Structure formats: structure tokens, C-alpha cells
Amino acid sequence: MAVTIRDVAKASGVHISTVSRTFSAPHLVNPETRTRVLATAEQLGYRPNRAARALITGRTHNIGLIVADIANPFFPPMIKAAETHARRRDYHVFVADTDEDPVVEADLVRALAKQVDGILLCSPRMSDDQIELARREVPLVVVNRLIDGLPAVVMDVGTGARSAVRHLVDLGHRHLVYLSGPRGSWTNREIRKAAGAAARAGGAELTVLGPHQPISSAGADAAEAVLATGATAVLAYNDLMAIGLLQALQDRGVAVPERISVVGFDDIAAGALVRPTLTTVANPTAAAGRAAVDMLLQQGDDGATGQVTLRTDLVIRNSTGPGPYAPAGATATQVAAYAKE
Amino acid sequence: MAVTIRDVAKASGVHISTVSRTFSAPHLVNPETRTRVLATAEQLGYRPNRAARALITGRTHNIGLIVADIANPFFPPMIKAAETHARRRDYHVFVADTDEDPVVEADLVRALAKQVDGILLCSPRMSDDQIELARREVPLVVVNRLIDGLPAVVMDVGTGARSAVRHLVDLGHRHLVYLSGPRGSWTNREIRKAAGAAARAGGAELTVLGPHQPISSAGADAAEAVLATGATAVLAYNDLMAIGLLQALQDRGVAVPERISVVGFDDIAAGALVRPTLTTVANPTAAAGRAAVDMLLQQGDDGATGQVTLRTDLVIRNSTGPGPYAPAGATATQVAAYAKE
DNA sequence: CTCCATTCGGCAAACGTTTGCAACAGATTA
DNA sequence: TAATCTGTTGCAAACGTTTGCCGAATGGAG
């Protein structure tokens, strides 16, 4: 049915091995022969059978991309970037969703292992031990988590959290809240630590609330607790929670940012759609996806297992404003501009 | 390196064909032998090599899922549902993104064709002709577009548009605007037609604006034009545009829904996060993903090429309210409740 | 003219499965 | 008792590639 290497060989009067080489080692075949073969191949509509190629070379030219939840707006930009980047290198991407379940995650890795040249494990929910185990079955790159000896790409959320806190302190806030994310999250721990340190350095108090599910309703549910602390500014684990909180506060008639400032994390698209628009720490998710693909593909060449840290950036919008200890006439953007000098 | 069927055969004292049958045709092997083989396979950690299997059977147990833009919030729920559904049937899913480019789309189909058992083409941007052509290379299911003779799953957006318009008319609006989506979109045409008919039936005027890119900034940019029409209610091609419009109107001090009512389409998550929350027509994207997978997998058995139409539902929230011709004291939910009887 | 190096292309084995065919044993039927 | 059937297993070919090895042809050097 389908046209095979044999058809091309016959049609162009050469042996199948020559056709094979035309595609996989062009420099080994005479330019004339090559163009002839290429022409007939094109004309016949020949495409190498990847399964056969995989069988003999052991390389599938596929990679797996495992995320906790495709529908979580944090991931799609990363998936998109990774897929595009991989395709440009002639790799195809299996995308799979674990529904935040570590057991599903482990199964998935096992199921995919033999079928791909490597797996991108994004914000994994498995334990470090399980991941180390999985790594023995298939090349792995971990995104959003740091594990000793494992190639990883992470966002520098610590720095992001610090600038967020500094921004709030500069605006005159002295009592902050950190709205924690899910328990197992590496990112959550990093943010909490950095925010705590930055608050201390700025002479401010930081109250930690949580843990919470990383969804908007959790942010909304936390509104009462936030108000009860008497804090004037909040840093949330992610934008979804921040937005939920934002709306819950407004529904209660609490003015944002006049009464309370809110900072999110991730810079998902919805942040610019809500009012007030959300001040947040932008994560370079697309860049992370690309970097992870690169690391995975290079891993074959040498065993080098680097760890890449990507810069995060504070994006100042309208959900943050002057606090009780603000310098006279301060606004969020003025303060930010000042801080940059 | 990896454990093959041969290792299992040797370890359990049978021929490889028996091992093969244990997995692919269990009823052909003696239950005793079967359990023995299964046990050693388990112990050795054997997993059949999919490439080898694909090579001989011609079935890869992979499917392709091609969407215009992974990052468009309309798609992730569909991708997620399709992937989960497919996995349950032991299929893996390649996800690919065309960046709204018909040329990329065509390339992608060709690249994937030989590597999958079928492709889900979601909201394709190619011409009907190209799609018919592609269908000759690989089994196809089209989502969100109706093409004669091609298996498809579509949302009943016509009915959705009608109920949206009826809802607005019932609320006392007599001059509506339809904010068109992109030119090539089948969905867009359907909505426009149905909305026009419903408006006429309700004795209301419908002004069509557009075409527009299906993104929030396009909605925002259309605010002036919308106001210029003097209409009191707007139906948008999708939620993204509706939200953009919503915010642009508010930024201009135009009250929603008091002065203008806004209805979106799709029911993406962000719709419930903005204020006022968005009245919209919910598309069953997850169900569509599952249905499409089912159709694709059944296609092999018989040649039947059905077309599935999924129900859409009007979700009434807070962006719609009484218009100038409203019955006294009407509110959106009251009117809706009344309409249901 | 001979020899050697280089370039090119053919040959055939190998990758890990599935599957039609045949062999065999035991059970059933005539 | 012979013939037939049924259930279970082994044998070997096939799927479409890649790749190590070898021989043929070519060209330059001596």
C-alpha cells in the first residue's frame, strides 16, 4: 500500500541501501545519484517509516511531555513552545496529563519510556526517589523542580518572590501575607523561603497561610483569613489564586489596591483580563519548554546533566499600590521606576 | 539492553510465538502456560516494543491531535479529555500546534500521517479541498467543522446562538451586535446565521461587526464601534473577545450590564473570573474530545463516517441584564427561569 | 603500466514483533 | 479401530529500515 524504500530504489535504479543513505547519510552518496533518488522519492511521495527506523536505530524521534494538568493555564504556553521547538528538530511530542496524581504519573512514565527518546517531566508530583528510579529507564529532564544529579530547568522563583516583596515594602507595606500553594511543590517552598527572607530584610512581617490548592476558588476561600490577619498586601502562590482572592475581596467591598495590594505568580493571560489588572511575577514558561527540549536532546551526546535556571520578572500592573507607610504620593509604577535606578 | 520477547521466552521455557500470543491473543494459549509467561514477563519487566509491533501490524496505537493554538484557552480542556480518553484505550497522543497557519497544518498532517492510526483535526484552517486530500493519506476526524462525507464532531452553536439572542430579546433588547470571529471559521458563519434568524424572529435588529481575530484585544478594539451602533447588547464570537470588550467598556465608564449586555461563547474558565462574570454559551469541549477519539478508533472497524453534534448550553451570569424594552423588574436570571417553563 | 587510495554502491544481517501454517496429542465420533 | 476434530505449541517468514563489510571503479602517483 504505502510506498517503501524498495519502491524508490526500484524506480531510481539503485539499491535500497543507497536510498537509505540518501536520507540518513547524504554525504556518502554521489550528488548526482542523490538528486535522482530524492526526485523519485518526492515524486512517489515516499516518507521513511519511523517505526522501522526506530526498530533498528533504537531512536524513536519522539519525546514525551508529562504535565500535572493540561487545563491549568500555566502549562499550555510551555507545551506549545516545547512542541514547536521539538518539531523544528524533527521530533514529535506525546503530551500526557496526570491529573495531579503521582501514581498516574509513574504509570505514564513507564508506559512512555520505551516509546520515546526522553521525557520532560513538568512540575512532577512523584517523590524524588521515584523520579530517580524512572530516570534509569529513560532519559529525563525535570521542569520546575531541583533534584541532585538530575538535569533540570527551573524558574528563579526565589528572585521573583524577593522582588515582589521588595516592591511591596517599597510601596510602604509592612505586614504581608503569603498564600501558600500545594504541599508537595518545590516552587512553593522556594517562594516561601525567599519571601520570608526578603520581608525580614525589609523590616516587614510575613504571615503564611495555607497550604492551598492552586486554583482560584482556593484564593477566594482564603479572603476571610487574609482580612483577619490585618495585612495590607498579599503574595499568592500563583495567579489563579491571586485572581480568586482579588474578586472575593472586591465582592466584599474591599478595595484593591487601595486597601489591600495583591501580587500573583506566573503571569497567565487571565491576569491582564481582570480588573484591576494583576501585578505578578512572570515565569518564562515558553523559554523553559524550549530549554528543556534542548537539554533532553543534548543528553544523548554526552552525559552532562546541567541545571538551567531561568529569570523571572516582576510585572507591575494595577493590583498593587501604596501601603500605610508609603512615601508621600507614591504609586506602584513610580516606586518601581525608582527602584530600578 | 532492554528485555525482549526472546528473554521472556527463554526464561519461561516456551517459544517466542507463545509469549507473543500471551499478550496479543490470550485465548489461544493454555491458561497454565499463560500465567507462567505472564509471571516471568512481569518479573523481568518486559514491555512489548511498540515500534516492532507497529512495523508488522501496521497499527501504531498512536493518534495525532492537531489544533490551531494550544495556548488558546478553548483547546486545553479538549486536549486533556481526548488524551485521557485515548490513553484509557491504550493509545498515545501526539499534540501539535499549527499557529493558525494552514500551511503548517498541511505539513503537520503529512508528517504525522505515517506515524499514527488517525488524526483529530480541531478547528482546521485548511480549505475543505485540502482536508479531503489529507483524508486519503490517513483516517481523519474533524472537530468544529462540517464537511460532506467526512466524520466530524461539531458543537451545536446555532442553537447556542439562538438561545443567547432569545435571552437578550426576552430581557428587552431590540438592537444587538454580533462581533464576528475570523473569516474562515465555520463556527463563525453558523453563529452569525443563527443569531440573525433569531433576532429577526424576535423583532430585533442585528448589526454584524468584523471579522476580528478571536483574541481579547480585538474585543477591546471593537468597543468604540459597538458603542457607535447604539446597540444595547452584544454577542461575541468567543469569550476572549467578550472579555476584552467587557473591560474596554468598563474602562470607558460604560456600565455592564446596565448600559450594555455582553454574551460570550465557549465558557472558558476566565469567564467566571472577570467581573461582571460573563454570560456565555458553554461548549462541551471535553465531550467533543472524547467523542472525536471514539469516532476515530471506530473508523477502523467499519467505514461508517457519522457526524456528531453536541449540545451547547447558555450559562447565565452577570454580564447580561434588562434592556430598554424589559418587562418591569426583569433580571437576567428571572427571565431565564421564566423562559424555561 | 602498476599500484594504491578514495569514493561509491551493493549485499545481507539485524532490530522485535506478529501470524499463517504445520505438527502433535488427546478426545470424540463413526 | 480408524478417522476426525480440537486445543496448544513451534517454526519461519515478514514488516521497512540501517549499517558493517566488501568489491568495483576511478584517478593520481611513481
Side-chain angles (χ1 to χ4, degrees):
Chain A
M1 192 67 216
V3 29
T4 81
I5 204 176
R6 228 169 290 272
D7 302 320
V8 179
K10 197 164 299 175
S12 47
V14 298
H15 193 261
I16 60 162
S17 55
T18 303
V19 179
S20 172
R21 279 190 272 258
T22 306
F23 287 96
S24 48
H27 62 278
L28 286 183
V29 22
N30 185 309
E32 260 177 58
T33 324
R34 194 196 310 159
T35 50
R36 184 156 41 98
V37 169
L38 246 25
T40 52
E42 167 72 19
Q43 188 200 329
L44 264 48
Y46 167 71
R47 336 225 77 196
N49 179 319
R50 289 228 189 193
R53 182 179 281 183
L55 185 55
I56 189 133
T57 62
R59 326 209 66 232
T60 61
H61 262 247
N62 295 150
I63 72 184
L65 174 50
I66 299 184
V67 302
D69 179 7
I70 297 175
N72 179 335
F74 176 80
F75 289 113
M78 196 163 90
I79 299 175
K80 178 177 174 124
E83 194 274 328
T84 304
H85 203 63
R87 180 143 37 91
R88 208 160 273 146
R89 286 155 175 65
D90 198 27
Y91 277 75
H92 291 157
V93 180
F94 287 114
V95 174
D97 178 304
T98 68
D99 247 325
E100 307 268 356
D101 184 337
V103 177
V104 174
E105 192 171 291
D107 285 350
L108 222 29
V109 169
R110 222 170 309 128
L112 241 31
K114 288 297 181 316
Q115 217 178 155
V116 299
D117 294 342
I119 291 183
L120 264 38
L121 219 46
C122 305
S123 309
R125 305 300 193 231
M126 292 192 285
S127 69
D128 284 14
D129 291 350
Q130 285 179 290
I131 297 181
E132 307 245 25
L133 228 64
R135 183 235 206 314
R136 286 217 282 273
E137 295 202 36
V138 56
L140 235 49
V141 169
V142 180
V143 178
N144 275 341
R145 179 138 143 197
L146 233 31
I147 303 175
D148 260 4
L150 279 196
V153 10
V154 296
M155 327 274 187
D156 185 6
V157 290
T159 301
R162 265 189 297 278
S163 21
V165 168
R166 270 237 303 280
H167 169 63
L168 293 170
V169 169
D170 288 352
L171 277 168
H173 296 277
R174 291 295 176 272
H175 185 179
L176 319 179
V177 164
Y178 174 56
L179 228 51
S180 288
R183 193 179 302 277
S185 162
W186 177 87
T187 300
N188 185 54
R189 281 198 306 277
E190 294 296 308
I191 297 178
R192 176 161 35 74
K193 280 193 307 200
R200 224 170 299 124
E205 181 185 350
L206 182 83
T207 306
V208 176
L209 257 35
H212 302 279
Q213 287 281 89
I215 55 180
S216 63
S217 61
D221 293 345
E224 284 305 335
V226 167
L227 289 173
T229 64
T232 59
V234 180
L235 175 63
Y237 166 74
N238 72 5
D239 283 354
L240 246 22
M241 291 170 61
I243 293 173
L245 173 66
L246 215 64
Q247 308 294 24
L249 290 175
Q250 289 186 303
D251 292 350
R252 281 173 176 70
V254 178
V256 178
E258 290 76 11
R259 171 65 213 295
I260 291 193
S261 287
V262 175
V263 179
F265 231 104
D266 291 352
D267 195 22
I268 64 174
L273 293 180
V274 298
R275 293 299 136 91
T277 54
L278 188 67
T279 294
T280 187
V281 178
N283 277 343
T285 48
R290 284 188 293 266
V293 168
D294 281 342
M295 288 186 69
L296 191 61
L297 298 189
Q298 279 161 18
Q299 212 171 318
D301 309 349
D302 44 26
T305 66
Q307 312 204 127
V308 172
T309 301
L310 263 26
R311 218 183 99 192
T312 60
D313 279 303
L314 183 65
V315 177
I316 296 168
R317 297 209 185 90
N318 301 322
S319 65
T320 48
Y325 301 84
T331 71
T333 43
Q334 278 169 9
V335 167
Y338 174 77
K340 270 201 185 140
E341 287 165 10
Chain B
M1 191 69 216
V3 29
T4 80
I5 205 176
R6 230 168 291 272
D7 302 320
V8 179
K10 198 166 298 176
S12 46
V14 297
H15 193 262
I16 60 162
S17 55
T18 302
V19 179
S20 172
R21 279 189 273 259
T22 307
F23 287 95
S24 48
H27 62 281
L28 286 183
V29 21
N30 186 311
E32 262 178 57
T33 323
R34 194 195 311 159
T35 51
R36 185 157 40 97
V37 169
L38 247 24
T40 53
E42 167 72 17
Q43 187 199 330
L44 263 48
Y46 167 71
R47 337 224 77 196
N49 179 320
R50 289 227 190 192
R53 181 177 283 185
L55 185 55
I56 191 139
T57 62
R59 326 210 65 233
T60 61
H61 262 246
N62 296 150
I63 72 185
L65 174 50
I66 300 183
V67 301
D69 179 7
I70 297 175
N72 178 335
F74 176 80
F75 289 112
M78 195 164 88
I79 299 174
K80 179 177 173 123
E83 194 274 330
T84 304
H85 203 63
R87 179 144 37 90
R88 206 159 276 146
R89 285 155 176 65
D90 197 27
Y91 277 76
H92 290 157
V93 180
F94 287 115
V95 175
D97 177 306
T98 69
D99 246 326
E100 307 267 356
D101 185 338
V103 177
V104 174
E105 191 171 292
D107 285 350
L108 221 31
V109 169
R110 221 169 310 128
L112 241 32
K114 289 297 181 318
Q115 217 179 154
V116 299
D117 294 343
I119 292 183
L120 264 37
L121 218 48
C122 304
S123 309
R125 304 301 193 228
M126 291 192 285
S127 69
D128 285 13
D129 290 350
Q130 285 179 290
I131 297 180
E132 307 245 26
L133 228 63
R135 184 236 207 312
R136 287 216 282 272
E137 295 202 34
V138 55
L140 235 51
V141 169
V142 178
V143 179
N144 274 342
R145 178 138 143 199
L146 232 32
I147 303 176
D148 260 5
L150 279 195
V153 10
V154 296
M155 327 273 188
D156 186 5
V157 290
T159 302
R162 264 188 296 278
S163 22
V165 169
R166 270 237 303 280
H167 170 62
L168 292 170
V169 169
D170 288 352
L171 277 168
H173 295 279
R174 291 296 176 272
H175 187 179
L176 318 180
V177 164
Y178 174 56
L179 228 50
S180 289
R183 193 181 300 278
S185 162
W186 177 88
T187 300
N188 185 54
R189 280 199 306 277
E190 294 296 307
I191 297 178
R192 177 160 36 76
K193 279 193 307 196
R200 224 170 300 126
E205 183 186 351
L206 181 83
T207 306
V208 176
L209 257 36
H212 303 279
Q213 287 281 90
I215 55 180
S216 63
S217 60
D221 293 345
E224 284 304 336
V226 167
L227 289 172
T229 65
T232 59
V234 180
L235 174 63
Y237 166 74
N238 72 5
D239 283 353
L240 246 23
M241 292 170 60
I243 293 173
L245 173 66
L246 214 65
Q247 308 293 27
L249 289 175
Q250 289 186 302
D251 293 350
R252 280 173 175 70
V254 179
V256 177
E258 291 75 11
R259 172 63 214 296
I260 291 193
S261 288
V262 175
V263 179
F265 231 103
D266 291 351
D267 195 23
I268 64 174
L273 294 181
V274 298
R275 292 299 137 90
T277 53
L278 188 66
T279 293
T280 188
V281 178
N283 277 342
T285 49
R290 284 188 292 267
V293 168
D294 282 342
M295 285 186 68
L296 192 62
L297 298 189
Q298 279 162 18
Q299 212 171 318
D301 309 349
D302 44 25
T305 66
Q307 313 204 125
V308 173
T309 301
L310 263 26
R311 220 182 97 191
T312 60
D313 279 302
L314 183 65
V315 177
I316 295 169
R317 298 208 184 89
N318 301 323
S319 65
T320 47
Y325 301 85
T331 71
T333 42
Q334 278 169 9
V335 167
Y338 173 75
K340 270 201 186 142
E341 290 165 10

